[in-house]
Amino acid sequence: MIRIPFNDDWYLAGEGEPQGPLSVPHDAMFYEKRDPDCRNAWNTGYFPGGTYRYTKTFPVPADWHDRHVVLEFEGVYQDCQVLLNGRLAGGHPNGYALFRVEAHSLVEFGSDNRVEVVARNDGPPNSRWYSGSGIHRPVSLLVGGPVHLVPDGVRVHTAALDATDARITVCTTIANTGIAARTATLVHHVYDPGGEWVLEHCETLSLPADGVHTVRHDLGVAQARVWSPGDPALYTCRTRLLAHDQILDSVEVRFGIRIVDLDARNGLRLNGIPIKLRGGCLHHDHGVIGAHGLSAAEDRRVRILKAAGYNAIRSAHHPASRALLDACDRHGMLVMDELSDAWFRPKLAGDYSAHFEQWWRRDLESMVAKDYNHPSVILYSIGNEIAETATARGVELSRRIADTTRELDPTRYVTNCVNGLLNMIAPKDDPVRDARKRHDVDSEPHENLIAVVNFLMSVLMDKLGHLVKLPRADRRTRDVFATVDIAGYNYMHGRYRTDLRRYPERVIVGSETPPPHTARIWREIEHQPRIIGDFTWTAWDYLGEAGIATRVYGASTALYRPYPALVAGTPVIDITGHRQTQSYLNEIIWHRATGPYIAVQPVDQSGRTRSRSGFRTTDSLASWSWEGCEGRTAVVEVYADAAYVELLLDRYSLGSRPIDHEYLARFETEYRPGELTAVAYHADGSELGRTTLISAGPGLRLTLSCDRDRLHADGADLAFLDIALTDDHGTVKPLSDREITVTVDGAATLLGLGSAAPTTEEPFTDPVHSTHHGRALAVLRAGRHPGPITVTVTAEQCRPQHLHLTAQSVTGTTSDFTHS
C-alpha cells in the first residue's frame, strides 16, 4: 500500500487553550506545568498527565472509492480511541504499540473528512518513568487498490550464509479484496548497499477473490556484504505487483544479510563469529525534548552510544520505535526489543496489567511485524521484572508468550528479564485480581513491591550478589528460565558461576545490571561463552523515576527525590547526550581504551556528605577548573588499564597509586589551578599513556557546537546545539552557571532547551534556561518551508553568539511512496 505521511496540520485540545496547527510526533505532556502534588509524582518527574484530543481534517478523493484506506499510528500514549467523521474506528490501550485502523468504510469520498484521536493519560499512575502523552510517534495514511501488498507484507530474512554466499527468503503477503479472482505478476529486485542491482525474480500468481495469499521465494546472493556492527551494510528489496504492465502496488524494504546463532558451547555468534553484547538499557524519552519520537533524535542517540563503545541496546520497557530501529540498522547497533513492563499483576494502579492478558498477542504480533526486516534486532524480551514469573500461572504465561514469539519469528531468540530479588519476595499466590485491590499499589512507595525492591537494590547493591545466591532465588526463577532461549538476569550477576555449573545448557544475558558493577561483571562475562553480554541500567539518563540514582549533597539516602527532582540521574550519558565518567570507564573495561582518564569530584562540594546510590558511585567531572575553591581538598579519580598511575600538577609529582580491580586510582590533593596530568604505566615501568586537564582562564564566553548546518524542511528534522560556558580557549567552566537565552529566527523553531540538572523547576519549553556544570543543549525543529535559520545565544557577561543554518527543500525522497 502507498504510504502517505499524515503528520501535519493537527490541532490539539487539552487542559489549556487549543493548539495548532502542529506536527506530530508530538508530546503533550512535555508542555504541561509540573506539579509537586500530582498523582504521577516521581514516576514521571512530576508531570501530571491529562486527556488530549487531536483532530485533523483531510480530503479523500472521489476516485479512492475502490481503494483500501488504512490509518497507521506508530504510538499514541495511551488508551486511545480513533474516530472518523464522529464514528468510532478503532484504538489501542498500549501507548507504545503500532496499530492500524481500517478507515475505508467510514471515510466520505470526494469530500473532507475529520479524524479525532483521544488519548487518556489522566487516571491513576500508569508509568514508572516519564511516558509523555499523545501522538508521540509518526502517523501514516495507507492507500491501496483491491489487489495490494498488505502492511508489513514483505519480509526478508537470511536463510543461509556460507562465507560470502547467502540465501535470502522473501515472504510476500498479498490481499485481493475484490469479488473476482485476479492474476498478477510479482517482481522482486534486490540492490546491494551501493545501490547496484544484484538479482531479480518474477512470478505470475493467481489470487482468489476476497482472500489473502502468501508466497515465499528463496533467492541467492553471491558475494554478499554481510551486516555487522562493524559494517552495517543494508540491502534493498524493491517489490512490485503488476497486471498488464500496470503497477498495482509497490514496496521498498531494507534488510541486512546476517545470521545469528546461539548454543551453550559457543554462546552468541553473529555471522559465525562469537560476539559479546556491550549493552545498555534505553528509555524512549529524549531529555530536553521529552517523548517527541523524531528520527533525528534517535539517530543522534545511537551515534553517541556507538561512539561510547556500546554495540547493543535494550528497549526499556516497551516496543522500540521504527525510527530507533532504523538508526540501529544504519549504525550497527544490536537490539533487544521488549514487549512489556507489566503482565497481569500491577506495579502501578493504572498500568498496563489491566489490559495485558487481553492484548498481549496483538501487541506481540505488532512488535514482531515491525521488527522483522531490521537486522539490528536479534533478541525479543517478553517481559521486565515480572514478579508473577515466580508463580505457576506466570510461568505458564511465559511459556505461551515465548512459544508464540518463536512461531511469529523463528529467526530470533527469546528472553525474559527476571529480577531474582523481586521473585524471592513476591507472593506465590495471585493477590491482585480485581480493580478494588489496585488502588493501594502506588499509594505509598513502601506499599509498592517494585519500589521496595528498587530501594533495597539501591542501598544494598554491594550485598545483592550474596542475596541472590540463596536457594530461594533459584527456586523462584528456574521454571521461568526454562521457558525461554536465554535467561535474562536482572541484578542476578551473583548467580553466574553457580548457575553455569548447575544448568550446563543455560545461556545467560545480564539483562540489567548497575553501572558501578560493570568492571567486576565484565571480567566474568568475557571468559564465559554462555554469558552473552551485559546491559547496564541505563546507558542514557532519562526523565522520571526522579532521583533514583542521583548523588545529593547534605541529604540522606532515599529511593526517589521530592519535587522539583526531574531525572533519574544515571551515570553514563546524561539527558543532553554528554558523556559522564562511567562512560569513559566502560571503554576501559571493554578493552576499547587503556586510559588514563582523569575525573575530579566536585571541589565546591568538598567535605560535604553525599547520599548513597547503588546505581552510581561518582559524580566526578573531567575538569580542573574550580574557581574560588583554592585550598580545598580535591578528590581526583584516575581510570586506566594499567599497573599504576602517577599524578602531576604543573609537572610536580603528587605521588603514584596502583590501579585497583575497578581500574581506579584515587588521589587527594589541595586544589590550585594549573595543569593536572595523569601518567599510566605498565608493570615494568614503561609508560602506557597520559592525559592532562588544564584549568580555565579568567575569560568567559559562550561556545556553540551544532551537529549539522543544514536541515530538511520536512517538519521533523532536528539540529542539536551544544552550548558551553568556557574561557577564551574553549575550556568549560563548571562553576560559572547562569541563565542563557536562545532565540531562533527563520525556518525553524526552538523545540527544547535545557541542561542535565537532576533537580530544576525550569521548563524545557522556555527560551531561557540555566546551564548545569557549564553546559546546556538547545534543539531546533525544522518547519515545512525552506530558508535561512539564525540562532542567537546570550548570557550575562558573555558576548552574544550567532549561528547560521539552512533548511533545505526535501526533494527526490521516497517517503511519500513507501510501502508500509
Side-chain angles (χ1 to χ4, degrees), residues 285-290 296-297 300-305 539-543 566-567 569-570 572-580 705 707 719-724 740 752-758 760 764 769-779:
D285 78 79
H286 292 281
V288 305
I289 62 169
R300 173 182 182 259
R301 183 156 58 177
V302 173
R303 293 197 315 266
I304 291 173
L305 289 166
W540 195 289
D541 201 9
Y542 58 100
L543 306 180
L566 177 60
V567 304
T570 55
V572 183
I573 299 173
D574 71 28
I575 62 167
T576 70
H578 181 66
R579 294 177 61 181
Q580 302 181 71
S705 175
D707 69 337
F720 291 83
L721 177 61
D722 290 301
I723 303 168
I740 58 172
L753 170 66
S755 75
T760 180
F764 296 135
H769 202 99
S770 299
T771 59
H772 177 64
H773 290 154
R775 299 180 185 273
L777 176 71
V779 183

Side-chain angles (χ1 to χ4, degrees), residues 141-217:
L141 183 67
L142 310 180
V143 182
V147 176
H148 59 267
L149 300 160
V150 305
D152 293 322
V154 176
R155 299 187 179 189
V156 187
H157 74 267
T158 307
L161 181 62
D162 182 8
T164 60
D165 291 332
R167 189 175 79 253
I168 62 172
T169 298
V170 183
C171 289
T172 310
T173 303
I174 306 162
N176 177 10
T177 60
I179 60 174
R182 294 285 298 271
T183 298
T185 301
L186 182 66
V187 181
H188 297 300
H189 286 97
V190 175
Y191 299 83
D192 69 14
E196 297 294 324
W197 173 84
V198 293
L199 65 89
E200 176 183 6
H201 182 85
C202 302
E203 182 177 348
T204 300
L205 306 172
S206 179
L207 304 172
D210 195 22
V212 176
H213 184 68
T214 299
V215 60
R216 167 179 170 147
H217 298 106

Side-chain angles (χ1 to χ4, degrees), residues 13-48:
E15 300 300 322
E17 293 294 321
Q19 304 174 42
L22 55 83
S23 295
V24 300
H26 178 265
D27 176 8
M29 180 179 275
F30 177 71
Y31 298 94
E32 295 172 351
K33 182 177 175 58
R34 295 169 67 211
D35 180 359
D37 299 317
C38 72
R39 298 175 71 182
N40 281 332
W42 55 81
N43 293 296
T44 62
Y46 301 94
F47 283 88

Side-chain angles (χ1 to χ4, degrees), residues 1-2 4 6 58-61 63-72 84 89 100-109 113 140-146 148 151 177:
M1 300 176 74
I2 302 302
I4 303 171
F6 206 65
F58 65 104
V60 177
D63 60 5
W64 281 13
H65 70 277
D66 63 344
R67 295 181 176 237
H68 196 62
V69 182
V70 176
L71 279 170
E72 179 185 270
L84 275 169
R100 300 184 180 96
V101 174
E102 297 289 333
H104 183 85
S105 62
L106 298 176
V107 296
E108 297 174 359
F109 299 98
N113 288 253
S140 297
L141 183 67
L142 310 180
V143 182
H148 59 267
T177 60

Side-chain angles (χ1 to χ4, degrees), residues 344 388-399 427-429 479:
F344 55 79
E388 48 268 48
T389 57
T391 71
R393 180 175 170 223
V395 171
E396 177 55 31
L397 183 55
S398 181
R399 180 175 290 107
K428 287 207 68 175
D429 60 352
D479 291 341

